[in-house]
Amino acid sequence: MFEKGWYGVHIEMKTLSDKGVNMDLFEQMSEHEQVIFCNDERTGLKAIIAIHNTTLGPALGGCRMQPYKTVESALFDVLRLSKGMTYKCAAADVDFGGGKAVIIGDPLKHKTPELFRAFGQYVESLNGRFYTGTDMGTTPDDFVHSLKETNCIVGVSEEYGGSGDSSVPTALGVIYGIQATNKVVFGDDELKGKTYAIQGLGKVGAKVALRLLEEGANLYVCDVNEEAVQSVLSRAKELGQSVKVVKGNEIYQTDADVFVPCAFGNVVNDDTIDLFRVKAIVGSANNQLLDVRHGKMLHERGILYAPDYIVNAGGLIQVADELYEPNKERVLKKTKGIYQTLFNIYQEAEKECITTVEAANRFCEERIEMRSKRNNFFAHKKRPKWDIRL
């Protein structure tokens, strides 16, 4: 059906690109169903939409805006990210496939309402095969303009019919992930009495930090935003809990029980892996492992790794649910399932003597394979799982 393994293909493609191998376009997108290049000279729109796999349903994935240096680098990014969304949707048990979009441009200089309207028209031309919304470099307000051209937009504010702040279920998913991890490492899923090293106090990281403090945990925190740090320190003082502020790479060397990366990716790499003294890594950051081999290295060191796309699925669950009309209670109930999914992956990894990344990938691939049999069963009437906004 498609080349197995998310992290492995990511690195393989990157290596080819780094070595300057001139790959044919169709060779690069060989695992993907469709890649659309969007060009609108009047607005300056240059975008790529990649649909990886729609076995589970229409493709769903965010749209990021970055000043890519080359079209090749933009293509590499969108192909990698769209494949990741296939796995993420399968893991979250939403009836959507994997897709992603990138807009080539500086988000601080090149954004205009007309550019996002033009982008919306290209999304609309796919006739419901692809749903998108905010990602790195874009905001919900940008897609208010796209929403005027297509209904295939998610993640806008509640005033425009959206489901609101997706960082709430994302942070909750991280908490459930930590609890499942604690169950395996410590024998109980209590948050209290343990120490966590949180890297990044943005929308998600700050919510995770506050929840852990309220549960009686102690923290190490690291963030360049002093205001965010002070907010956590103030709350800790009110609760009588300990928070130690560290800088830069010091966050990797703490004596915390669990490292919680909630900022940027690739934080588990050759330079950091020997610094870790924690028992587990659980966080919301995407692509935490620089290379698939780093997952094996963590395993060899006895550090339990929670695959990021399992843990950070709360936001995806919310935007997918939005297409059936927003329902916060339903989102929170489904997000709770992250606990059991991750716990099952831990058990499978131990049983089969494989890494947690391998177990997570296998879990997703088996689910996609099983659902493909259901989705090949023809029926004239639209099934409830795809009775969504179009």
Side-chain angles (χ1 to χ4, degrees):
M1 183 170 56
F2 56 86
E3 187 72 25
K4 294 184 177 181
W6 176 10
Y7 282 99
V9 171
H10 171 183
I11 299 304
E12 181 184 356
M13 289 176 66
K14 186 175 182 180
T15 303
L16 287 170
S17 179
D18 288 348
K19 290 181 178 179
V21 177
N22 185 21
M23 296 176 68
D24 176 81
L25 176 59
F26 283 99
E27 184 182 351
Q28 292 184 67
M29 61 173 285
S30 60
E31 295 180 39
H32 288 68
E33 294 178 4
Q34 190 175 9
V35 177
I36 304 95
F37 288 80
C38 313
N39 180 65
D40 188 83
E41 189 174 356
R42 289 186 178 182
T43 64
L45 174 71
K46 290 181 173 61
I48 308 174
I49 299 170
I51 297 176
H52 175 256
N53 188 293
T54 57
T55 299
L56 298 182
L60 175 65
C63 173
R64 61 177 51 182
M65 185 173 186
Q66 285 186 212
Y68 295 98
K69 292 182 179 180
T70 64
V71 174
E72 182 188 30
S73 62
L75 177 63
F76 165 74
D77 209 24
V78 77
L79 292 177
R80 173 180 66 90
L81 292 167
S82 57
K83 179 170 183 177
M85 286 305 300
T86 295
Y87 281 76
K88 197 167 183 176
C89 287
D93 196 22
V94 295
D95 290 295
F96 293 89
K100 207 78 175 183
V102 297
I103 296 175
I104 302 172
D106 188 333
L108 299 178
K109 298 178 181 178
H110 300 139
K111 283 185 182 181
T112 64
E114 293 306 317
L115 182 145
F116 281 93
R117 277 180 176 255
F119 176 72
Q121 288 179 318
Y122 280 103
V123 173
E124 178 67 10
S125 72
L126 293 170
N127 197 31
R129 274 179 55 77
F130 177 60
Y131 288 78
T132 192
T134 185
D135 200 316
M136 186 184 302
T138 61
T139 69
D141 287 342
D142 295 328
F143 291 97
V144 169
H145 303 295
S146 300
L147 196 57
K148 296 173 182 176
E149 304 293 341
T150 180
N151 282 325
C152 298
I153 299 294
V154 295
V156 293
S157 64
E158 293 179 78
E159 294 88 339
Y160 290 94
S163 51
D165 185 3
S166 63
S167 69
V168 174
T170 304
L172 188 57
V174 175
I175 294 296
Y176 288 134
I178 292 172
Q179 289 178 315
T181 303
N182 286 351
K183 180 73 172 176
V184 173
V185 175
F186 303 106
D188 65 74
D189 57 15
E190 291 293 320
L191 300 171
K192 183 179 180 179
K194 301 175 181 69
T195 304
Y196 304 89
I198 303 179
Q199 182 184 51
L201 296 173
K203 282 187 174 182
V204 175
K207 289 180 176 65
V208 171
L210 295 176
R211 173 65 184 275
L212 290 173
L213 287 174
E214 290 165 1
E215 293 289 339
N218 296 314
L219 307 178
Y220 288 94
V221 298
C222 177
D223 198 292
V224 295
N225 186 332
E226 287 298 325
E227 186 177 341
V229 172
Q230 287 303 317
S231 177
V232 171
L233 287 172
S234 297
R235 185 59 177 152
K237 187 176 181 180
E238 293 173 3
L239 296 169
Q241 298 301 126
S242 170
V243 173
K244 295 180 181 178
V245 182
V246 296
K247 302 292 184 181
N249 287 350
E250 293 175 5
I251 195 70
Y252 305 121
Q253 304 175 64
T254 71
D255 59 358
D257 296 304
V258 181
F259 174 53
V260 186
C262 294
F264 35 81
N266 300 334
V267 294
V268 181
N269 54 57
D270 288 339
D271 295 328
T272 63
I273 200 158
D274 289 331
L275 302 178
F276 289 116
R277 298 159 61 189
V278 295
K279 299 177 180 67
I281 298 177
V282 190
S284 66
N286 286 311
N287 302 321
Q288 293 166 26
L289 305 181
L290 178 61
D291 192 321
V292 65
R293 64 188 173 84
H294 293 117
K296 295 180 180 179
M297 292 169 72
L298 288 175
H299 180 71
E300 291 167 358
R301 290 198 57 202
I303 299 174
L304 187 62
Y305 173 67
D308 47 59
Y309 69 90
I310 304 294
V311 173
N312 64 19
L316 169 65
I317 290 170
Q318 176 166 301
V319 296
D321 184 84
E322 181 181 307
L323 291 168
Y324 302 91
E325 299 298 333
N327 185 313
K328 291 183 179 180
E329 290 74 21
R330 189 169 59 206
V331 168
L332 296 179
K333 183 174 182 179
K334 190 158 190 175
T335 301
K336 193 172 183 178
I338 289 173
Y339 179 108
Q340 193 60 50
T341 297
L342 183 59
F343 187 75
N344 291 346
I345 286 168
Y346 286 153
Q347 289 188 312
E348 182 69 12
E350 183 177 9
K351 175 185 173 184
E352 297 296 326
C353 298
I354 57 178
T355 69
T356 55
V357 172
E358 292 169 323
N361 286 345
R362 182 183 295 180
F363 168 77
C364 294
E365 289 154 7
E366 289 175 353
R367 174 169 280 176
I368 292 169
E369 181 64 26
M370 289 298 295
R371 296 284 168 83
S372 69
K373 295 178 173 62
R374 303 280 69 73
N375 294 347
N376 286 340
F377 190 90
F378 177 76
H380 278 289
K381 187 178 178 181
K382 183 186 290 184
R383 281 171 267 186
K385 62 184 177 182
W386 293 325
D387 189 12
I388 57 178
R389 187 175 73 226
L390 177 60

